[in-house]
Amino acid sequence: MFGKFGLSSLINLSNDIRKIAFMVSYQLYKLIEKTLNNINEHSEFIEFLNKLSNFSNSTMLSLFKATNHQGSAIIEPSSAVQKEINQIKNFIKTEYSPNKTFHSSRELISVLHEFYSKLDTEKENLESFIVLIPLLSNFTSNYEEFLLSTSFANTLMLLYTSRRLLDSIDILRANLSIIKNQLQLEPLEIEEGFGLLSIEFPSEISVSQFSSKLSAISEIYEELKLVFKDKEEVAPIEILKIESGSFFATVLGDKELILVFTALIYKGIKYLHYKYSAEGQRTQLHEKIELTHKVIELNQTLIDYEIKTEGKDEEINKAGVEVSKSLNKLLKGEPEVTVNDEHYSVDAITKQKLLENKQKSIPHDLDSEN
């Protein structure tokens, strides 16, 4: 099915994936899902390659018969073969514009580089992955040469390269789909009145830091419950999934409370990321960078979600102070955060500042201190 490069590439890819098994399964699943979606955005380009390959299937034998097998030189093709070449030339020049072709090639190379850079493994383990990047580069070069001169040799080389490129794209997509299915995240059936919150910090994290963040989530939820005490019953928080190495957690709780919780996290992320940026440091140079009750605006957040606040000033003020403390514990020092699939990140300089602050503000593993 995949020709010369297919089966061996499939086996190598599966072996390579096993070598990155320590990567958090949720992260790997999402990375593969994003990569597949990015590749599929260039479906027109892939269809163009497919049509070129259909040409090659019917004409390559004739084209190779026109070569001089006694040496490397290519003799002039027969009139019948020349007719086929002219059809191919016309198709290439009219089916898919050069601008689109070059754009798709560059974008796919960028997608692959991003994919490989985020895999937690040594690069020498990725030989079966990275074959696609040089193939894309070779295709682009051959396509450019074809545009400069639609010679028999250039047409032949472009057909050959497009065939190999299409095979490699098909192999990569097939393998990533297999791995994605193996990591398939089971859809959760959420009862009415309940909501989900998923939060991920991809940076490296110690055991004590992991525990601290997990307890912060519980503390925030418990404080917010006090504000919702007029409800008949507020469901307790339930941890559905946690993964370590980096930090990932999915929790289930009261729908309204989870909505407010999520909104407060968004506010906290935006504030801390801004404060640690160059602009934020200039405007508030002497101010301690902390989340406060004033920053998270708990009362306004409750109003935004149509939660009753009358007669709850004392509870809201108390909860706001405690929630701010716990949000600091949860978010401080994190340059990248993903909340319910919404990703937040900072520039490289701000990232370094945040990571340095993370080491200062959160204790290391207790075992290492003994």
Side-chain angles (χ1 to χ4, degrees):
M1 177 181 177
F2 293 118
K4 178 181 177 181
F5 305 96
L7 183 58
S8 62
S9 294
L10 177 63
I11 294 170
N12 289 337
L13 182 60
S14 298
N15 290 336
D16 287 342
I17 282 295
R18 292 191 185 98
K19 293 174 183 176
I20 58 172
F22 60 88
M23 186 177 188
V24 176
S25 62
Y26 175 84
Q27 290 177 310
L28 183 56
Y29 179 91
K30 287 297 182 182
L31 177 59
I32 291 174
E33 182 178 56
K34 179 183 177 183
T35 301
L36 285 171
N37 289 339
N38 287 340
I39 292 174
N40 291 335
E41 285 178 4
H42 298 277
S43 57
E44 286 186 40
F45 173 69
I46 295 170
E47 180 59 24
F48 170 63
L49 293 176
N50 186 52
K51 290 178 179 178
L52 268 183
S53 297
N54 290 337
F55 270 113
S56 70
N57 290 337
S58 62
T59 61
M60 284 298 275
L61 181 60
S62 299
L63 294 174
F64 276 114
K65 283 181 179 178
T67 62
N68 179 0
H69 297 291
Q70 301 305 313
S72 60
I74 299 178
I75 64 174
E76 285 300 314
S78 66
S79 58
V81 172
Q82 186 62 56
K83 184 178 179 181
E84 293 180 53
I85 294 172
N86 289 337
Q87 290 177 339
I88 295 168
K89 290 176 182 178
N90 183 61
F91 166 78
I92 292 172
K93 289 194 169 184
T94 59
E95 178 71 16
Y96 201 69
S97 74
N99 285 341
K100 285 185 175 181
T101 301
F102 289 128
H103 173 75
S104 290
S105 295
R106 286 193 302 268
E107 287 295 306
L108 285 171
I109 288 173
S110 177
V111 166
L112 294 171
H113 274 304
E114 181 183 1
F115 178 57
Y116 305 144
S117 68
K118 290 186 177 180
L119 291 175
D120 296 332
T121 185
E122 296 298 322
K123 298 308 176 192
E124 58 263 26
N125 294 334
L126 299 175
E127 291 179 3
S128 59
F129 282 54
I130 60 178
V131 66
L132 197 47
I133 290 179
L135 277 178
L136 278 161
S137 298
N138 289 342
F139 172 82
T140 303
S141 297
N142 291 335
Y143 181 79
E144 195 168 16
E145 290 172 5
F146 170 84
L147 293 179
L148 293 172
S149 172
T150 57
S151 67
F152 173 57
N154 286 346
T155 306
L156 184 64
M157 186 55 69
L158 185 59
L159 285 176
Y160 174 70
T161 310
S162 64
R163 175 75 261 178
R164 286 194 62 196
L165 177 57
L166 179 65
D167 282 347
S168 294
I169 291 174
D170 285 344
I171 290 167
L172 182 63
R173 289 199 297 182
N175 280 282
L176 290 181
S177 294
I178 290 171
I179 298 161
K180 180 171 173 277
N181 289 337
Q182 291 175 342
L183 296 169
Q184 185 69 50
L185 305 176
E186 293 296 327
L188 296 169
E189 294 185 8
I190 308 301
E191 295 181 20
E192 188 175 352
F194 286 82
L196 282 179
L197 168 62
S198 293
I199 186 164
E200 176 192 359
F201 305 107
S203 62
E204 187 176 342
I205 193 169
S206 68
V207 174
S208 61
Q209 289 169 345
F210 187 96
S211 175
S212 177
K213 290 180 182 297
L214 202 58
S215 66
I217 292 174
S218 177
E219 290 163 6
I220 294 167
Y221 191 89
E222 290 302 313
E223 287 298 330
L224 291 178
K225 278 176 67 175
L226 299 176
V227 180
F228 285 73
K229 67 180 184 180
D230 57 328
K231 296 183 69 171
E232 291 184 6
E233 183 178 356
V234 178
I237 193 169
E238 181 180 351
I239 298 173
L240 299 183
K241 184 179 180 67
I242 56 173
E243 294 190 13
S244 58
S246 55
F247 180 95
F248 171 75
T250 298
V251 297
L252 177 73
D254 179 89
K255 185 176 181 178
E256 288 184 314
L257 195 154
I258 289 293
L259 284 173
V260 172
F261 193 160
T262 304
L264 296 176
I265 290 177
Y266 288 149
K267 286 185 177 182
I269 293 167
K270 290 177 181 178
Y271 178 82
L272 290 175
H273 281 189
Y274 171 75
K275 284 295 183 179
Y276 276 93
S277 69
E279 183 182 356
Q281 291 280 279
R282 284 195 301 270
T283 56
Q284 300 291 343
L285 189 60
H286 303 296
E287 183 178 325
K288 188 179 181 183
I289 303 174
E290 294 283 350
L291 285 167
T292 65
H293 180 23
K294 180 180 177 182
V295 170
I296 65 171
E297 299 176 311
L298 177 56
N299 190 67
Q300 184 58 50
T301 305
L302 293 167
I303 293 172
D304 291 342
Y305 283 92
E306 300 181 352
I307 309 299
K308 293 179 180 179
T309 59
E310 295 83 358
K312 297 182 182 178
D313 290 348
E314 184 177 346
E315 291 92 339
I316 292 173
N317 287 330
K318 178 181 177 299
V321 172
E322 297 304 318
V323 167
S324 300
K325 292 178 183 178
S326 296
L327 276 175
N328 273 306
K329 187 162 61 172
L330 179 65
L331 302 174
K332 201 168 182 182
E334 295 296 344
E336 292 184 69
V337 187
T338 300
V339 182
N340 293 345
D341 293 330
E342 188 166 344
H343 186 70
Y344 294 85
S345 62
V346 296
D347 60 80
I349 295 175
T350 307
K351 179 177 181 178
Q352 186 59 38
K353 290 178 183 176
L354 282 162
L355 289 174
E356 288 172 358
N357 183 69
K358 177 179 177 179
Q359 296 306 317
K360 294 176 184 176
S361 61
I362 304 178
H364 294 285
D365 290 339
L366 296 176
D367 292 341
S368 65
E369 296 176 358
N370 296 331

